[in-house]
Amino acid sequence: MGLTVAQKIIKEHLVTGKMRVGEEIGIKVDHTLVQDATGTMAFLQFEAMGIPEVKTGKSLIYVDHNTLQTGFESPDDHVFLQDMASNIGVIYSRPGNGICHQVNLERFAEPGKTLLGADSHTPTVGGLGMLAIGVGGLDVAVAMGGGQFYMTMPKIINVKLTGKLAPWASAKDIVLEVLRILSVKGGLKAVLEYTGDGVKTLSVPERATITNMGAETGATSSIFPSDEITLEFLKAQNREAAWKPLAADDDAIYDQELEINLSELQPLTACPHSPDNVRSVKELEGMEINQVVIGSCTNSSYLDLMKVASILKGKKVHPDVSLVLACGSRQVFQMLADNGSLAEIIKSGARIIECACGPCIGMGQSPKSEGVSLRTINRNFKGRTGTKDAQVYLVSPETAAASAITGIMTDPRSLGETVVVTIPKNFAVDDSMFIFPEFNNKEIRRGPNIKALPLKDELESNLKSEVLLKVGDNITTDHIMPAGAKILPLRSNIPAMAEYVFEPIDPSFAQRAKEKGGGIVLGGENYGQGSSREHAALAPMYLGVKAVIAKSIARIHYDNLVNFGIVPLILVDSSIYDTIAQGDQLAINGIKTAIENGDEVLLVQNLTSGKEFAAKLLLSVRQRSVLSGGGTLNWMKKQNN
Ligand code: MIC
Ligand code: SF4
């Protein structure tokens, strides 16, 4: 039987298990990536494991999230990361060098290899034929130590692309169409693999926009084949040697298929407050806007920004609009400066900010109250910008630039002749913003923001606790553990960070959790979607959250809960959700033994209503032992002993 691209890479990296969809497998990890917001914890965890040096082919830390530096916290963290990286053998990408996924695509990604990254948009490099998976920091720390990565063998969804994009339609519109079809949970437990004639009409940066935002479907990863176009890109990056061809076999079997005719796509937008709330730009044309943000790991490549520059050339940003622009990498920034395009952008009245995540994660540039913001980013979750009542629309760079000029949502097709930008023969290669490890055992500088890693005790024999919070469907990690300029700098300080758990939903949560000695969270569908941040499990664990009971839980968050010893339970009958109220006392007698014994269904008693209901444990044997022992770090210590 033939194999798909993802299956071929998995087969080559398989260490444990059988490649049967739904079963746990362990794979070898070639490269790892963390960024500063997830990296401090990952490095502390790596340190706690007592392994002197990383055992991967290549491991990277990118400083790109916490670059606003509103106090000593982030710069102190950067110094800690730099020292640690040098000692343990990790390449350090300095602040200002760019956003992890864009820089990684340019300088390190390799077709056919595996990458594990502590950031949900790690699959961006799938655009270059790498199997890249976003996970929590602890999973990356384990991989840095040479451990295999355990995952559920994904099903493969064939996304067949036919035709060719019409003028002014963009790669962003392709992935928005995928989201429209699949929704924010349609990619769960799957890899989105792109095939069909349409593939060869797309450049690597365009493919990377698509694989980047595949994360929003909940998919484990997204991947394109590696072909001549991949080779051209690598050549232009002076990395030809990294190329190898990769394609699905003709008789490969897919578990699901969807087809998109690129020629029929028109400019699309994801409306507030979900990336799958997709409509055509045409439908919303004329809507007044206040802000446009161009950048983020989704749309900040040389190709994207050259298109923006040529749309803005000779024009002025509308007086009622603030246009903010960030290049994805210093390479892009420098090339725009060298060829004069940056001058055109500046002349238009755009506000240029540094190459970093910035507004995408609420680090500055929040819109005004009730402001309408058009962004080329990948997530428009409520409040993520820092302004709770802002309305964020996700769009392509073309739609963003066109609208910045007119001051209203504008279909770029109204601009007339389309702009054509091609991949340059040579990108400006300059690796001087990377610091390569010296392995010189230097003293690690630790600022006062870096606090000890909290650990959990073994699982209790019986669970009896209150439902501290009941939430609805599609709760994101931005709701559970928000980011933004105030909270993001606290990533290495769990006690301080824990004060903000669930703040956007219930600001009294942390206080109540502490008073009651912890409790249970009740969730709806797709609980914990969005980011990879393990802080959304770690900080609740610190507050005493013992279990999450939900209709369904997003992949990365599910694994993070297990890693930190919080029991993830899925309601067997989701209508039971309606019968449980916040404040109800729940009990699971013999929970530890049941988990250790491999019970798949647990009986939960609702002591308040007197009812009983069933909840599923979707756990592998390894995960059961992790949960029972109080999380992955405890488990590893036990294994090592
Ligand atoms: C995000 O886009 O939400 C982030 C910030 O990049 C996160 C990582 C984090 O929370 O540190 C992600 O996507 O995983
Ligand atoms: Fe950074 Fe935004 Fe990309 Fe997350 S989604 S890595 S915050 S640019």
Side-chain angles (χ1 to χ4, degrees), residues 185-231:
K185 46 181 206 287
L188 215 63
K189 297 190 177 145
V191 169
L192 307 184
E193 190 163 323
Y194 289 84
T195 68
D197 283 351
V199 165
K200 63 176 188 301
T201 68
L202 299 168
S203 66
V204 167
E206 290 174 299
R207 296 174 184 183
T209 291
I210 297 167
T211 48
N212 171 282
M213 233 181 134
E216 272 52 67
T217 68
T220 303
S221 191
S222 296
I223 195 162
F224 274 82
S226 168
D227 55 13
E228 291 299 311
I229 292 167
T230 320
L231 175 62

Side-chain angles (χ1 to χ4, degrees), residues 64-65 99-101 119 121 212 296-298 356-357 360-361 378-379 384:
D64 55 358
H65 280 65
I99 304 173
C100 52
H101 309 302
D119 194 283
H121 292 102
N212 171 282
S296 91
C297 56
T298 317
C357 299
C360 177
I361 191 59
N378 45 41
R379 292 187 171 140
R384 187 171 151 101

Side-chain angles (χ1 to χ4, degrees), residues 157 177-187 192 217 256 258:
I157 302 181
E177 176 67 3
V178 172
L179 269 149
R180 192 187 65 75
I181 299 169
L182 285 180
S183 89
V184 287
K185 46 181 206 287
L192 307 184
T217 68
Q256 196 179 324
L258 53 107

Side-chain angles (χ1 to χ4, degrees), residues 157-421:
I157 302 181
N158 179 5
V159 187
K160 193 167 167 200
L161 304 179
T162 59
K164 187 179 185 315
L165 284 175
W168 296 110
S170 185
K172 182 64 155 277
D173 302 317
I174 302 176
V175 70
L176 287 175
E177 176 67 3
V178 172
L179 269 149
R180 192 187 65 75
I181 299 169
L182 285 180
S183 89
V184 287
K185 46 181 206 287
L188 215 63
K189 297 190 177 145
V191 169
L192 307 184
E193 190 163 323
Y194 289 84
T195 68
D197 283 351
V199 165
K200 63 176 188 301
T201 68
L202 299 168
S203 66
V204 167
E206 290 174 299
R207 296 174 184 183
T209 291
I210 297 167
T211 48
N212 171 282
M213 233 181 134
E216 272 52 67
T217 68
T220 303
S221 191
S222 296
I223 195 162
F224 274 82
S226 168
D227 55 13
E228 291 299 311
I229 292 167
T230 320
L231 175 62
E232 285 312 304
F233 178 84
L234 283 168
K235 262 190 194 163
Q237 289 287 353
N238 214 359
R239 296 206 294 120
E240 194 178 341
W243 185 71
K244 78 171 206 185
L246 254 179
D249 293 328
D250 291 340
D251 57 346
I253 296 173
Y254 300 86
D255 301 285
Q256 196 179 324
E257 196 164 305
L258 53 107
E259 190 168 326
I260 297 174
N261 183 349
L262 302 184
S263 322
E264 286 170 4
L265 280 184
Q266 54 171 318
L268 298 173
T269 177
C271 302
H273 299 283
S274 183
D276 62 359
N277 189 10
V278 176
R279 290 167 71 181
S280 74
V281 169
K282 195 97 219 130
E283 279 175 79
L284 296 164
E285 216 171 21
M287 177 183 67
E288 278 181 24
I289 61 170
N290 312 106
Q291 186 192 50
V292 173
V293 175
I294 297 176
S296 91
C297 56
T298 317
N299 277 122
S300 58
S301 65
Y302 173 79
L303 214 67
D304 283 335
L305 296 192
M306 283 300 290
K307 283 186 199 160
V308 168
S310 54
I311 294 170
L312 294 178
K313 191 173 176 182
K315 310 263 176 31
K316 293 288 177 216
V317 172
H318 190 275
D320 294 332
V321 174
S322 168
L323 169 61
V324 182
L325 184 142
C327 296
S329 69
R330 197 175 67 116
Q331 180 182 81
V332 174
F333 209 4
Q334 190 192 314
M335 288 175 75
L336 293 186
D338 288 346
N339 71 16
S341 304
L342 187 59
E344 299 299 341
I345 295 174
I346 293 170
K347 279 188 231 162
S348 76
R351 303 167 66 180
I352 318 290
I353 54 173
E354 71 171 322
C355 315
C357 299
C360 177
I361 191 59
M363 295 299 274
Q365 303 294 341
S366 302
K368 74 175 188 70
S369 293
E370 296 174 19
V372 174
S373 181
L374 263 51
R375 298 183 165 213
T376 66
I377 65 174
N378 45 41
R379 292 187 171 140
N380 56 350
F381 303 145
K382 199 169 193 305
R384 187 171 151 101
T385 59
T387 304
K388 287 206 165 94
D389 55 9
Q391 306 285 314
V392 177
Y393 293 80
L394 308 178
V395 295
S396 70
E398 292 89 330
T399 301
S403 306
I405 300 165
T406 57
I408 50 175
M409 176 79 101
T410 301
D411 187 326
R413 289 176 294 183
S414 63
L415 294 180
E417 209 175 308
T418 191
V419 290
V420 180
V421 183

Side-chain angles (χ1 to χ4, degrees), residues 23 29-30 44 47 76 85 164 176 191 199 228 237 239 270 302 336 357 393 409 446 490 497 520 531 539 566 604 620:
E23 286 187 19
V29 177
D30 298 322
L44 288 170
E47 198 175 38
D76 281 2
K164 187 179 185 315
L176 287 175
V191 169
V199 165
E228 291 299 311
Q237 289 287 353
R239 296 206 294 120
Y302 173 79
L336 293 186
C357 299
Y393 293 80
M409 176 79 101
R446 279 167 221 264
L490 302 174
M497 184 158 229
I520 295 169
S531 85
I566 298 179
V604 187
S620 67

Side-chain angles (χ1 to χ4, degrees), residues 143-159:
M144 280 162 55
Q148 50 188 309
F149 170 60
Y150 295 99
M151 64 192 270
T152 306
M153 178 65 202
K155 61 178 182 178
I156 311 289
I157 302 181
N158 179 5
V159 187

